[in-house]
């Protein structure tokens, strides 16, 4: 079934196939005719059998058979007659499966028949059929799907099915389907806490032992590694979703204005929140895994401030799945205030059945924190950031005189709760690391990748245990592995580069000592001090650990190799972003920025936007905005100005929601195109500076 | 008795044949089938009342007399018409040092192989031969599928993994050992695929010639295999006999030879749908094989007479050419070619090599045991290998052990036959090794009166070694086939399979056909029988 070379067609084959095609067309026409006319005679049904015998993919014929079956079964009352009618149908499926064991239609027809529940199912026959089929091709996933269906339908205990997967793995462990079914069955058994499956630790230790036996024999065989990856994921992530960061953080003091003297005296005690000028506070909650179900009752807010009637939580994610790690809401302050006043906001997230992860586990670590908002109703409202174009520092932060240290105690993040049994997790992972370090085939990409993943999982656990040094050591080793992988397996270079970027960002941001070298408070003349982070010239291709950057207002990611900026959507405080001199190749790759409401300054210069005729981001992004049509007004607007909408659709969708004051886009192929300037001016009326020049 | 039989000797018509073959051992039977298939007239006689000669399977009660026959059983016949020079023939006993203990219940229900321990590789030449000659219709095989072979190492038995899945399921190897072992398997399999012209392997997968000429054991050491696995691969898969770790080893296996056996082994697994393992064993014992070939010969017109010893050779005056044989019945049969089984001794012809240097002869010590419990739970047919020096420092050769069960119809249900063998230079060390192996595998012969003792240890009854009910140890001389004025076939050898015996039978056939027709043997070889080379 697998790995068979295709044979070149011979002339006589072609003749035969054209004869077959003519016969098929004829049969198909007759079956369709019968379907239209609702003819369910024996001869008509026989014709559909003939068609399916040759071509089991003729889905209409299956549906016709279903209709005919339902039609004819009504007239039967004898249990024997009904049984024989069902047997006939089952036999048709078997004939079709002999022709093509991977026919969707045939398998579905069988399931449908069983689901009619007209006669008791002969489980021996069904399992016998499956045994035969899986003997011919142990990796036929249709067979495995049907097996799962049958086991559920017949109420076969999961333990038995688990033993069956073991048998198949013993026959040949290169069987992804068997390993996969094993993971499903084990998850069920562990959730149901069946006898012998009470201890997740014990079961997983055994499974690690089992799969590593296979991995050590065939380190270049993929199926075992997939299973190992599943085990690793199960071991390194907590069972229930956890809140790992929030903005504003616990104890934060947000202010709509700052008293200049205080800034100069370096006695800053509050964070200037730009959006407060518009009486809006974006709030962001960041979980360790994608969740859904955040609403007014699952996240409780208590404050003297009046936030209007509805607090609506939105998933900050590029996918439409409804699940997201990152959720935001904009708190609209409706209060009238005459003088400076402080209000506290209490946030509590109790255990909740509303908030659930993809695996179905609910949120069960209650969190409670408070932040304060200082409203000042003085003349500070006039502050305008964009009198002049904002300039970026070109030198490293340390050497810059204007930098002030970030008041980190204000930026604390809610740490994830340490799991009770993380000791076991850590020991288990360490054992696996030691094991794979000893695997003699050290040039195997799977070994290196798994080692890197294990090290990172250990690093993640260590951060809960607050040992940044160990964490960094793990990161260092993982970085080495990713560098090796880039060399060893060039066809997956981009994936490894992305992973390496994540580790690099982890390493740089996991402890204050290192992170502070990249942070400062930017104080520009006549301006507000802004929290500034600079991560330049690091060869980053991907953004990670956004939850540690949610307080950042000015972010400099220039001179990297960014292809994507997914993750930045969590930075709702972001006012100014520099991603110049990167490898951004299309506007679709910039979609996350459309989610940042208060972004004012954007430097996109010297990227590759418009340089590639093919926008590959569209294939990589889970849901690029090509799927959305909400901006049709913008399209009309552009059409009026003679802008080619077909050519610029992604630019239009990107610029429309932005409220930029300053944009740099020179050094991109798209910037020199006809009408591009008109397009930007049309779509961003708030723009004051384009490519360093005042637009007025 | 002998007197009566002598009277019963039939008179054979005609009195002249192309080929007269005496003895119905496997090589003789194969030659009879080949000659008959080639259109020669064949007379095939045997002194015994049963087929098989030294390759037969005998009922347990007949074993003592088979191993130590009454020397006076060949009566001297008064010489008749003396137009030829008559050279008297004697029979020699190739068995010595026979020791038998114990008593088996229902001894008639046990069948004892004289060639054990022995099996056939599914991809063996012997199997091809059976299939091509039609002999396969007369014999039924069972797969030796007790899983993998067992290796005796440091006082314990370990399974020797022989496939990827066996390595996976093995619980005695650690993971790193598994990696190295499977790496070696992959190299060897790639080499085999590449060496096989029809295969889809690539030439670059071949193992270099330098490596192929290395001693196999050195090659394995190069691949970082630990000693236990080297022993497993060398003695239990490549089936080496002598200690490969000494500098002056008589038979140092090269990588090329080792891989050849592994290739045979791996191509054997899965050849037949109903034989999952690499080995098969003939139902009712190995004695069935010569019989199967005799039947093929008979179908092609060979004449069979049992209970008919040859008493003398008929030679020309210069005693250079053999013209025929004088039968014990007194009848003279003329032939162009005479083939004798190796138990016949021609005093004049092999005078110089007789007796004086018998210590230089190759020998094999064999053991047979009957036990009522399998050596390993859950498997009834087993192959066990004791590598050299695993039992004692003096053990110079590997000992192979084959356990058979009642489903091969060689013993009553609930019983097991165990065969042991080891090649040896002198009889005492050979017997010593076999006895040591028996002691290592089995408990000393149990006296049933010790019930109390048994009960004390009944809690680890599972681990208790099986007790020997009956056992027999003896030493057999090994002789190659020879070609002089008459042809002599080889005795059973010390090996696990028939490959070497068939090779030397083939040489005999080549000589004979060359002599008979005076044309190159390759041109007249009956394709349907000996077509593989």
């Amino acid at each position: 079934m697998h790995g068979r070379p295709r044979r070149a067609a011979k002339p006589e084959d072609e003749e035969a196939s054209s004869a077959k095609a003519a016969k098929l067309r004829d049969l198909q026409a007759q079956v369709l005719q019968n379907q239209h006319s609702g003819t369910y005679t024996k001869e008509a049904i026989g014709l559909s059998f003939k068609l399916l015998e040759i071509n089991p993919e003729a889905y209409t014929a299956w549906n016709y058979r279903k209709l005919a079956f339902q039609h004819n079964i009504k007239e039967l009352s004898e249990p024997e007659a009904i049984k024989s009618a069902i047997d006939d149908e089952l036999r048709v499926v078997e004939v079709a499966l002999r022709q093509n064991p991977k026919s969707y239609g045939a398998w579905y027809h069988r399931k449908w028949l069983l689901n009619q529940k007209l006669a008791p199912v002969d489980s021996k026959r069904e399992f016998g059929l499956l045994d035969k089929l899986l003997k011919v091709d142990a990796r036929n996933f249709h067979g495995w799907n049907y097996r799962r269906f049958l086991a559920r339908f017949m109420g076969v205990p999961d333990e038995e099915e688990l033993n069956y997967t073991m048998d198949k793995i013993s026959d040949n462990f290169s069987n992804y389907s068997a390993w996969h079914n094993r993971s499903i069955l084990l998850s069920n058994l562990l959730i149901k806490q069946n006898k012998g499956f009470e201890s997740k630790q014990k079961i997983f230790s055994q499974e690690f032992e089992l799969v590593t036996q296979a991995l050590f024999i065939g380190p270049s065989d993929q199926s075992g590694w997939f299973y190992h990856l599943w085990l690793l994921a199960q071991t390194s992530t907590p069972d229930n979703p956890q809140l790992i960061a929030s903005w504003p953080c616990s104890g934060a003091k947000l202010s709509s204005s700052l008293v200049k003297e205080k800034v100069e005296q370096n006695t800053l005690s509050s964070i200037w929140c730009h959006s407060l000028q518009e009486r809006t506070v974006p709030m962001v909650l960041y979980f360790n895994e994608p969740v859904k179900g955040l609403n007014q009752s699952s996240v409780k807010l208590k404050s003297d401030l009046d936030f209007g009637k509805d607090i609506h939580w939105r998933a900050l994610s590029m996918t439409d799945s409804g699940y997201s790690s990152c959720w935001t809401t904009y708190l609209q302050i409706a209060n009238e205030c005459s003088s400076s006043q402080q209000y506290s906001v209490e946030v509590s997230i109790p255990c909740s059945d509303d908030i659930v992860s993809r695996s179905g586990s609910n949120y069960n670590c209650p969190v409670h924190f408070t932040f304060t908002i200082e409203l000042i109703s003085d003349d500070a409202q006039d502050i305008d950031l964009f009198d002049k174009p904002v300039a970026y520092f070109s030198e490293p932060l340390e050497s810059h005189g204007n930098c002030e240290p970030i008041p980190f105690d204000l930026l604390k993040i809610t740490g994830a709760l340490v799991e009770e049994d993380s000791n076991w997790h850590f020991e288990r992972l360490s054992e696996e690391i030691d094991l794979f370090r000893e695997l003699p085939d050290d040039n195997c990409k799977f070994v290196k990748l798994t080692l890197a993943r294990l090290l990172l999982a250990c690093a993640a656990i260590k951060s809960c245990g607050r040992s940044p040094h160990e964490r960094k050591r793990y990161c260092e080793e993982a970085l080495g592995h990713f560098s090796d992988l880039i060399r060893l397996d060039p066809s997956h270079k981009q994936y490894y580069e992305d992973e390496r970027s994540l580790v690099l960002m982890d390493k740089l941001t996991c402890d204050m000592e290192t992170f502070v070298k990249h942070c400062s408070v930017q104080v520009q003349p006549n301006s507000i001090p802004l929290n500034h982070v600079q991560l330049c010239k690091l060869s980053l291709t991907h953004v990670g650990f956004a939850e540690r950057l949610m307080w950042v207002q000015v972010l400099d990611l220039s001179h990297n190799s960014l292809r994507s900026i997914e993750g930045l959507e969590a930075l709702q405080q972001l006012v100014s972003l520099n991603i110049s001199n990167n490898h951004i190749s299309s506007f679709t790759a910039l979609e996350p920025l459309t989610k940042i409401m208060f972004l004012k300054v954007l430097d996109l210069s010297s990227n590759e936007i418009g340089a590639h005729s093919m926008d590959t981001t569209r294939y990589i992004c889970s849901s690029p905005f090509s799927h959305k049509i909400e901006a049709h007004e913008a399209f009309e607007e552009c059409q009026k100005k003679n802008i080619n909408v077909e050519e610029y659709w992604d630019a239009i969708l990107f610029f429309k929601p932005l409220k930029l004051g300053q944009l740099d886009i020179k050094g991109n192929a798209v910037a020199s195109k006809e009408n591009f300037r008109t397009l930007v001016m049309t779509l961003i009326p708030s723009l004051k500076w384009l490519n360093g020049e005042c637009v007025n | 008795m002998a007197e009566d039989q002598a009277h019963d000797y039939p008179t054979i018509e005609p009195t002249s044949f192309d080929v007269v073959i005496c003895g119905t051992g496997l090589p003789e039977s194969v030659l009879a089938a080949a000659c008959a298939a080639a259109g020669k007239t064949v007379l095939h006689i045997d002194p015994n009342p049963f087929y098989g000669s030294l390759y037969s399977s005998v009922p347990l009660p007949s074993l003592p007399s088979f191993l130590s026959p009454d020397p006076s059983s060949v009566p001297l016949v008064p010489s008749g018409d003396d137009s030829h020079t008559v050279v008297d023939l004697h029979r020699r006993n190739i068995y010595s040092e026979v020791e038998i203990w114990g008593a088996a219940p229902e001894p008639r229900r046990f069948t004892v192989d004289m060639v054990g321990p022995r099996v056939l590789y599914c991809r063996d030449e012997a199997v091809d031969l059976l299939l091509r000659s039609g002999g396969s219709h007369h014999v039924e095989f069972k797969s030796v599928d007790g899983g993998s072979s067992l290796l005796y190492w440091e006082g314990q038995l370990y399974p020797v993994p022989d496939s990827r899945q066996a390595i996976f399921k093995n619980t005695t190897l650690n993971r790193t050992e598994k990696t190295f072992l499977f790496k070696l398997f992959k190299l060897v399999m790639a080499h085999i695929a590449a060496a096989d012209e029809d295969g889809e392997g690539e030439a670059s997968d071949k193992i270099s010639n330098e490596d192929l000429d290395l001693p196999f054991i050195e090659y394995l050491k190069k691949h970082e295999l630990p000693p236990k696995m080297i022993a497993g691969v060398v003695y239990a898969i490549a089936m080496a006999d002598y200690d490969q770790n000494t500098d002056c080893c008589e038979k140092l296996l090269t990588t090329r030879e080792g891989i050849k056996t592994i290739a045979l082994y791996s191509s054997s697994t899965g050849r037949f749908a109903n034989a999952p393992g690499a080995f098969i064993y003939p139902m009712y014992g190995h004695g069935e094989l010569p019989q199967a070939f005799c039947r093929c010969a008979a179908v092609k017109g060979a004449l069979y007479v049992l209970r008919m010893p040859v008493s003398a050779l008929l030679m020309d005056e210069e005693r250079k050419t053999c013209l025929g044989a004088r039968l014990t019945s007194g009848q003279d049969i003329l032939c162009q070619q005479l083939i004798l089984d190796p138990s016949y001794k021609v005093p004049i012809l092999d005078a110089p090599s007789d007796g004086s240097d018998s210590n230089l002869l190759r020998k094999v010590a064999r053991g047979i045991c009957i036990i009522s419990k399998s050596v390993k739970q859950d498997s009834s047919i087993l192959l066990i290998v004791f590598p050299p020096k695993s039992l004692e420092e003096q053990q110079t050769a590997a000992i192979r052990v084959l356990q058979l069960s009642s489903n091969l119809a060689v013993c009553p249900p609930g019983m097991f036959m165990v065969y042991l063998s080891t090649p040896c230079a002198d009889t005492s060390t050979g017997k010593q090794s076999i006895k040591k192996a028996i002691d290592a595998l089995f408990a000393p012969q149990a006296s049933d009166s010790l019930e109390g003792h048994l009960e004390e240890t009944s809690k680890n009854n599972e681990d208790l070694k099986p007790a020997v009910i009956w056992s027999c140890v003896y030493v057999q001389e090994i002789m190659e086939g020879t070609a002089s004025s008459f042809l002599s076939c080889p005795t059973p050898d010390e090996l696990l399979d028939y490959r070497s015996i068939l090779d030397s039978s083939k040489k005999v056939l080549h000589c004979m056909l060359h002599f008979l027709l005076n044309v190159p043997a390759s041109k007249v070889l009956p394709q349907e029988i000996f077509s593989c080379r």
Side-chain angles (χ1 to χ4, degrees), chain B residues 365-387:
Chain B
R366 298 194 196 274
I368 308 165
C369 297
I370 294 175
I371 51 174
S372 59
K373 199 183 112 184
S374 172
V375 171
K376 189 184 164 208
Q377 268 189 306
D378 312 325
S379 36
S380 54
I381 308 181
L382 281 173
L383 185 66
I384 304 164
V385 175
F386 291 79

Side-chain angles (χ1 to χ4, degrees), chain A residues 69 86 90 107-119 121 146 149 152-153:
Chain A
F69 178 81
I86 293 172
L90 290 176
W107 283 111
Y108 182 72
H109 195 67
R110 204 169 181 89
K111 283 187 198 171
W112 178 84
L113 270 170
L114 261 53
N115 270 325
Q116 298 300 302
K117 295 184 180 153
L118 293 171
V121 175
Y146 186 67
F149 162 80
R152 208 166 42 240
F153 191 81

Side-chain angles (χ1 to χ4, degrees), chain A residues 170 174 209 212-213 216, chain B residues 164-165 168 175 178-179 182:
Chain A
S170 298
S174 308
E209 173 68 30
T212 49
Q213 298 290 335
F216 268 69
Chain B
R164 192 168 85 131
Q165 287 309 309
F168 177 60
R175 297 185 187 82
K178 288 185 172 190
T179 309
F182 186 63

Side-chain angles (χ1 to χ4, degrees), chain B residues 203-419:
Chain B
S204 59
D205 289 335
K206 278 196 189 169
I207 297 169
S208 73
N209 273 325
E210 287 157 49
D211 277 349
L212 288 175
D213 291 334
L214 270 184
F216 195 33
I217 200 146
E218 295 303 322
Y219 182 74
L220 295 178
K221 280 180 188 162
K222 243 173 75 175
H223 284 85
E224 301 178 62
L225 292 195
K228 185 172 101 188
M229 268 190 291
I230 293 185
V233 173
V234 170
Y235 301 107
I237 297 180
M239 300 295 170
D241 280 307
Y242 294 97
D243 192 351
Q244 305 284 312
N245 265 322
T246 54
D247 296 332
C248 54
C249 179
E250 303 158 57
K251 280 191 169 176
L252 204 59
L253 197 70
T254 62
T255 307
R256 196 186 306 277
E257 290 162 338
I259 285 176
K260 202 175 153 199
T261 309
I262 295 178
L264 175 67
Y265 185 97
S266 74
S267 62
S268 288
T269 36
R271 179 179 188 188
F272 303 112
N274 47 3
F279 300 120
I280 47 176
Y281 180 89
M283 290 276 281
Y284 309 104
H286 277 279
E288 296 295 303
L289 294 177
Q291 276 196 63
F293 284 106
C294 288
R295 286 183 192 214
C296 294
V299 168
K300 297 278 183 188
L303 183 64
Y304 275 82
V305 183
L306 293 185
R307 291 191 187 88
M308 182 64 86
V310 174
S311 60
L313 296 183
L314 304 176
M315 314 277 290
D316 64 354
E317 278 167 35
E318 292 166 352
R319 294 195 167 190
K320 281 205 171 140
T321 317
C322 179
L323 303 171
R326 174 165 296 169
L327 306 180
T328 310
S329 62
Q331 191 181 4
D332 285 349
I333 303 287
L334 294 180
C335 63
Q336 287 181 284
Q337 185 59 256
L338 178 69
I339 301 171
L340 291 178
D341 95 12
S343 65
Y344 284 97
K345 180 159 74 168
V346 186
I348 306 156
L349 290 176
D350 42 29
S353 66
D354 200 36
S356 57
D357 53 357
S358 68
N359 277 339
L360 289 179
L361 277 177
R362 280 197 298 147
K363 295 189 183 75
V364 54
R366 298 194 196 274
I368 308 165
C369 297
I370 294 175
I371 51 174
S372 59
K373 199 183 112 184
S374 172
V375 171
K376 189 184 164 208
Q377 268 189 306
D378 312 325
S379 36
S380 54
I381 308 181
L382 281 173
L383 185 66
I384 304 164
V385 175
F386 291 79
K389 291 200 170 72
S390 63
L391 286 164
E392 54 178 356
E393 199 52 33
Q394 297 95 297
Q395 185 199 346
T396 52
I399 304 168
R400 275 188 288 268
V401 183
L402 179 67
Q403 175 188 289
L404 305 173
S405 74
S406 62
N407 61 6
L408 299 170
V410 291
C411 59
M415 292 289 175
F416 298 91
M417 299 284 291
V418 179
Y419 292 95

Side-chain angles (χ1 to χ4, degrees), chain A residues 409-556:
Chain A
D409 45 336
L410 289 183
L411 302 169
K412 267 186 311 226
I413 46 176
T414 325
L417 296 174
V418 183
E419 275 246 321
E420 294 162 33
D421 54 357
S422 73
N423 256 348
W424 173 76
H425 293 274
F426 184 69
E427 276 166 26
R428 188 66 243 178
L429 295 171
S430 305
E431 261 176 53
E432 292 293 303
I433 291 174
D434 291 343
L435 193 65
F436 286 118
R437 277 192 181 134
E438 270 168 33
L439 205 154
D441 200 353
D442 52 353
N443 267 343
C444 171
K445 60 178 178 176
F446 294 111
V447 179
K448 283 200 176 287
L449 183 57
T450 302
L451 254 180
R453 283 172 173 160
L454 283 165
L455 289 163
L456 294 178
C458 273
I461 290 179
K462 274 295 159 192
S463 77
C464 303
R466 288 171 259 291
S467 359
H469 281 292
E470 280 180 73
R471 184 175 184 124
K472 271 192 189 161
R473 228 184 47 228
Y474 285 122
C475 288
E476 285 291 348
E477 196 181 335
L479 280 175
H481 286 303
F482 282 121
S483 302
D484 288 348
L485 281 165
I486 290 170
R487 190 170 40 79
L488 271 177
D489 181 20
S491 54
H492 297 104
K493 179 170 172 263
Q494 299 208 342
Y495 171 75
Y496 301 131
E497 283 175 348
D498 285 357
E499 291 298 299
R500 186 179 63 177
S501 303
L502 293 186
V503 188
L504 206 57
M505 287 199 71
D506 185 14
K507 198 183 110 185
L508 294 177
T509 59
C510 71
D511 73 324
M512 291 305 168
E513 205 185 314
T514 326
F515 196 9
V516 81
K517 291 181 188 150
H518 298 271
C519 305
S520 73
V521 178
Q522 187 184 16
V523 191
Q524 296 207 331
N526 301 322
S527 177
I528 292 295
L530 294 169
N531 296 326
H532 184 194
V533 167
Q534 195 183 51
L535 295 166
C536 306
K537 296 174 184 156
L538 294 167
S539 307
L540 298 175
T541 59
H542 197 80
V543 180
F545 296 92
E547 75 271 17
R548 298 186 189 153
L549 301 171
M550 292 197 298
W551 49 273
V552 177
Q553 291 160 321
V554 179
L555 180 61
D556 186 354

